């Protein structure tokens, strides 16, 4: 087999770098989205654990933190842009590092990246890891008891007691979403202030088990089951002429059909 020419090698290298760049971009985007979702879920869980004045205070803290982070992010972006404008040579090391990473990621002999392979599999975090949707629904319906609506914090306590595993508000939200339910604000419970919770009506019942199949042969209404070959029997009792004065006969009932008889002449 002849060695590839320079043009062929350059085309193969360009294709490998393009493939690796696509893999890297997809992997970085997936990680960023997963991180944003995790932060959002934890933030909403922390906010949903409170109610009344405590909820308003936590909301104010979150808004203040978002304002500060926005200011810091804008300042960093402006500083980096000015630095790159005055020192454009800094882009060359970044480009070299990216090309090396893309070359390694685009190697056809390597399998999918561990992060990409893990992202393709269902999330295995939290106490509900490994449970099916029907199992999660059954568990939630069980801990609901007779309450039509329950706060997220109360659900977390009941789930912790039922499963002997710690459940947080974020875990409850994830389980409710996986079961097709909805988390709402302003849910009321007796003796408690309105807070974030779940209504039982938003959770659909688990899938019913399939009905068992027929054990024996199906019998149409109005017909008698047959257990063996049919035997020819007289259509009615014998007449006096047929029986005769000195003849004897025996009537035997058919055990398979109470309406059928067998007449034997002696």
């Amino acid at each position: 087999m002849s060695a590839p020419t320079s043009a062929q090698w350059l085309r193969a290298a360009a294709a490998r770098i393009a493939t690796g760049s696509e893999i890297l971009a997809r992997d970085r985007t997936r990680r960023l989205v997963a991180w944003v979702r995790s932060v959002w879920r934890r933030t909403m869980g922390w906010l949903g654990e409170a109610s009344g004045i405590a909820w308003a205070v936590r909301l104010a803290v979150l808004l203040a933190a978002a304002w500060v982070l926005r200011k810091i992010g804008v300042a960093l972006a402006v500083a980096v842009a000015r630095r790159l404008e005055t020192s454009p040579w800094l882009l060359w090391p970044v480009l070299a590092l990216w090309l090396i990473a893309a070359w390694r990621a685009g190697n056809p002999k390597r399998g999918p990246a561990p992060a990409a392979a893990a992202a393709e599999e269902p999330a295995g975090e939290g106490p509900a890891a490994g449970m099916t949707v029907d199992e999660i629904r059954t568990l939630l319906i069980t801990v609901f008891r007779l309450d039509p609506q329950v706060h997220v914090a109360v659900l977390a306590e009941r789930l912790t007691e039922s499963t002997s595993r710690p459940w947080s508000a974020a875990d409850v939200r994830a389980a409710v979403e996986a079961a097709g339910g909805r988390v709402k604000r302003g849910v009321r419970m007796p003796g408690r202030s309105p807070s974030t919770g779940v209504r039982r009506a938003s959770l659909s019942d688990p899938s019913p088990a399939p009905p068992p199949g027929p054990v024996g042969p199906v019998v149409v209404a109005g017909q008698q089951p047959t257990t063996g070959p049919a035997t020819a029997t007289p259509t009615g009792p014998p007449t006096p002429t047929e029986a005769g004065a000195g003849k004897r006969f025996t009537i035997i009932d058919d055990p398979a059909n109470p309406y059928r008889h067998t007449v034997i002449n002696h």
Side-chain angles (χ1 to χ4, degrees):
M1 185 176 181
S2 59
T5 62
S6 299
Q8 292 175 345
W9 186 88
L10 287 175
R11 283 196 296 268
R16 178 172 173 174
I17 291 176
T19 303
S21 299
E22 182 181 356
I23 293 174
L24 286 178
R26 189 186 307 117
D27 179 65
R28 298 301 183 272
T29 303
R30 185 183 294 112
R31 289 187 179 185
L32 178 61
V33 171
W35 179 79
V36 171
R37 287 180 177 177
S38 177
V39 172
W40 176 262
R41 188 183 300 114
R42 292 179 181 275
T43 303
M44 292 297 100
W46 179 71
L47 182 62
E49 291 176 355
S51 61
I53 299 178
W55 182 87
V57 172
R58 292 191 180 189
L59 180 61
V61 171
L62 289 177
L63 292 177
W67 182 81
V68 173
L69 290 176
R70 176 179 173 275
K71 289 292 185 181
I72 294 176
V74 172
L76 286 177
V78 171
V80 171
R82 290 178 178 175
R83 183 64 177 175
L84 291 177
E85 185 178 359
T86 57
S87 304
W89 58 268
L90 291 176
L91 292 176
W92 291 107
V94 176
L95 178 61
L97 292 175
W98 178 267
L99 291 177
I100 294 174
W103 177 268
R104 296 181 60 184
N107 187 1
K109 296 182 179 180
R110 294 181 58 185
E120 294 176 358
E121 303 221 347
E125 300 179 355
M131 298 177 62
T132 63
V133 175
D134 283 343
E135 291 175 347
I136 295 176
R137 288 176 181 170
T138 303
L139 179 60
L140 290 175
I141 292 172
T142 301
V143 299
F144 254 87
R145 300 171 186 167
L146 298 179
D147 297 324
Q149 49 195 18
V150 181
H151 292 169
V152 171
V154 178
L155 280 178
E157 296 175 0
R158 295 181 181 179
L159 287 169
T160 301
E161 296 175 358
S162 300
T163 61
S164 299
R165 301 177 64 182
W167 285 71
S168 63
D171 297 331
V172 174
R173 288 175 175 269
V176 171
E177 292 176 0
R182 296 170 57 186
V183 179
K184 290 187 175 183
R185 293 174 51 186
V187 174
R188 297 179 178 275
M189 286 188 67
R192 295 175 179 264
S193 302
S195 180
T196 305
V198 185
R199 290 183 171 86
R200 169 65 181 84
S202 67
L203 293 172
S204 57
D205 295 330
S207 302
V215 178
V218 179
V219 179
V220 181
Q223 296 183 1
Q224 296 294 331
T226 57
T227 56
T231 57
T233 56
T235 58
T239 60
T241 306
E242 293 175 348
K247 292 184 179 181
R248 297 167 52 193
F249 59 89
T250 305
I251 300 177
I252 301 176
D253 296 334
D254 189 348
N257 189 350
Y259 301 98
R260 182 179 298 169
H261 311 278
T262 302
V263 180
I264 302 176
N265 294 327
H266 300 284

